[in-house]
């Protein structure tokens, strides 16, 4: 299959991309002398890019909002309490059904790489076992990474450490954590040492829910970064949320940034989730409750955006569209400057792929997998401004999704 009239990010002119079986075999300047053949896909001068990435979602909890009750306070803590009740009723089939429905929503918006957290504070590890099957059964649609996520704590939950170890044995790809939710500061610190040991021993990646609170005294990020630095594991480690950084004073943050840079860890912000869940203990002035996305980016560190939730006890909305998250995030993080708009898609493509350690499994380059998207606009800026879409998603050389945009008639 050939794609013609493709615009590529960061390059002048139009290109022709040749796919053979499941690989990209040629990318060459578009030549009007080569005529289109019948199964050519015409990008019409719009962007062709590597697929969107969803680097942080909870597929075990999606589509459960309101069951057994709605989150009335809008806080993270009420969400965790409600989920505790819902997860007592989780079955194998229920988890698989909701996860697959949600993956379909992601696919419909051009996502082909997903990292999902799965709650392992459950003595049966039922959701994790179900997700391992989902990972196999949806391989034709997405590459799925599973995080062993201890929602109710590693140290504060009965057998928390053993459950994390079992989850890795059962096939989790990534080790998670939640130090700010452990009962004490000391437990938060020891949970990070434990999870870093586990990851180092087993070769897993690391992605910790870290300091997801407005409490400026929640300072587990420095512990995670230092553990990553001394073990030289930074590229394999991610700090998710870090919303407390939005409440750190600048004196502490400037010292912290030195360590963060040395550590080389990655960051994920979930802007719609955090603007909804944080700031809940404030009156006015009211904090935004996000990490310092623009500042992390300006400091040359790797940061990306994620959805976190779709219709669950923490967040009632969501439809799988990561471009909606990008638009909201750019607003909330003061990133509508011209330079940021020029490269906005980095935050849901290349930066996210780096966070997930996708390496050569990702990217629009000869020799890489024939996974790509045709978009509805010719630039990052125009994709945001027009609220554009992924129109076609190609995976392993085959079209897996095609979207027809709404047509408007004027009279
Ligand atoms: N669990 C958690 O601790 N934080 C979140 N944002 C979600 C689940 C969605
Ligand atoms: Fe999360």
């Amino acid at each position: 299959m050939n794609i013609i009239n493709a615009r590529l990010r960061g390059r002048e002119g139009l290109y022709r991309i040749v796919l053979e079986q499941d690989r990209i075999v040629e990318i060459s300047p578009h030549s009007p002398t080569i005529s289109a053949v019948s199964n050519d896909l015409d990008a019409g001068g719009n962007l062709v890019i590597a697929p969107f990435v969803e680097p942080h979602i909870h597929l075990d909890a999606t589509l459960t909002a309101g069951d057994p009750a709605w989150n009335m306070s809008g806080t993270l803590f009420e969400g965790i309490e409600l989920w505790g009740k819902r997860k007592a009723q989780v079955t194998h089939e229920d988890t698989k059904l909701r996860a697959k429905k949600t993956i379909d929503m992601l696919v419909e918006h051009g996502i082909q790489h997903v990292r999902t957290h799965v709650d392992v504070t459950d003595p049966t590890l039922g959701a994790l076992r179900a997700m391992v099957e989902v990972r196999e059964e949806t391989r034709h649609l997405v590459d799925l990474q599973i995080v062993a996520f201890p929602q109710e704590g590693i140290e504060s939950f009965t057998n928390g450490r053993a459950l994390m170890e079992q989850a890795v044995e059962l096939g989790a790809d990534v080790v998670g954590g939640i130090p700010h939710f452990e009962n004490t500061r000391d437990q938060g610190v020891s949970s990070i040492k434990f999870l870093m040991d586990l990851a180092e021993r087993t070769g897993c990646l690391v992605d910790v829910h870290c300091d997801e609170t407005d409490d400026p005294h929640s300072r587990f990020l420095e512990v995670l970064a230092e553990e990553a630095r001394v073990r030289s594991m930074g590229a394999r480690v991610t700090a998710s949320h870090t919303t407390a950084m939005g409440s750190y004073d600048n004196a502490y943050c400037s010292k912290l940034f030195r360590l963060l840079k040395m550590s080389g860890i990655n960051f994920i912000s979930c802007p719609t989730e955090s603007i909804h869940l944080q700031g809940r203990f404030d009156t006015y002035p009211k904090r935004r409750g996000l990490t310092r996305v623009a500042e992390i980016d300006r400091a040359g560190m790797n940061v990306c955006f994620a959805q976190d939730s779709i219709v669950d006890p923490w967040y009632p909305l969501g439809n799988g569209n990561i471009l909606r998250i990008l638009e909201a995030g750019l607003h909330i993080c003061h990133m509508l400057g011209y330079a940021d708009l020029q490269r906005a898609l980095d935050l849901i493509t290349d930066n996210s792929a780096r966070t997930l350690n996708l390496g050569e499994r990702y990217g629009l380059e000869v020799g890489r997998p024939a996974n790509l998207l045709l978009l509805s606009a010719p630039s990052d800026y125009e994709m945001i401004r027009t609220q554009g879409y992924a129109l076609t998603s190609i995976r392993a050389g085959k079209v897996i999704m095609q979207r027809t945009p709404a047509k408007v008639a004027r009279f």
Side-chain angles (χ1 to χ4, degrees), residues 263-283:
S263 76
I265 67 169
N266 304 284
F267 295 86
I268 298 176
S269 171
C270 305
T272 50
E273 184 96 7
S274 293
I275 200 76
H276 170 63
L277 291 177
Q278 304 303 320
R280 290 287 174 171
F281 300 94
D282 293 355
T283 53

Side-chain angles (χ1 to χ4, degrees), residues 306-319:
Q307 312 195 43
D308 206 8
S309 291
I310 295 181
V311 191
D312 71 12
W314 294 274
Y315 185 78
L317 306 179
N319 57 13

Side-chain angles (χ1 to χ4, degrees), residues 172-287:
D173 308 285
V174 188
V175 171
I178 187 163
H180 56 277
F181 192 76
E182 302 283 356
N183 288 335
T184 67
R185 160 92 202 165
D186 286 349
Q187 287 181 342
V189 172
S190 65
S191 75
I192 292 176
K193 298 216 163 112
F194 166 79
L195 71 89
M196 288 295 289
D197 282 342
L198 178 59
E200 196 172 20
R201 200 164 67 236
T202 56
C204 285
L205 300 171
V206 173
D207 190 332
V208 174
H209 280 65
C210 196
D211 304 316
E212 188 185 10
T213 165
D214 289 322
D215 175 5
H217 301 295
S218 189
R219 293 182 172 189
F220 295 103
L221 177 56
E222 63 181 25
V223 180
L224 181 65
E226 178 64 358
E227 287 293 321
R229 186 189 69 80
V230 298
R231 298 168 198 249
S232 302
M233 282 173 64
R236 303 175 63 77
V237 172
T238 297
S240 280
H241 299 300
T242 62
T243 57
M245 203 202 286
S247 295
Y248 293 162
D249 66 44
N250 288 338
Y252 173 64
C253 224
S254 75
K255 179 205 171 213
L256 176 65
F257 264 48
R258 178 174 172 271
L259 167 61
L260 297 179
K261 276 192 262 185
M262 287 192 295
S263 76
I265 67 169
N266 304 284
F267 295 86
I268 298 176
S269 171
C270 305
T272 50
E273 184 96 7
S274 293
I275 200 76
H276 170 63
L277 291 177
Q278 304 303 320
R280 290 287 174 171
F281 300 94
D282 293 355
T283 53
Y284 287 93
K286 195 176 277 199
R287 283 169 286 184

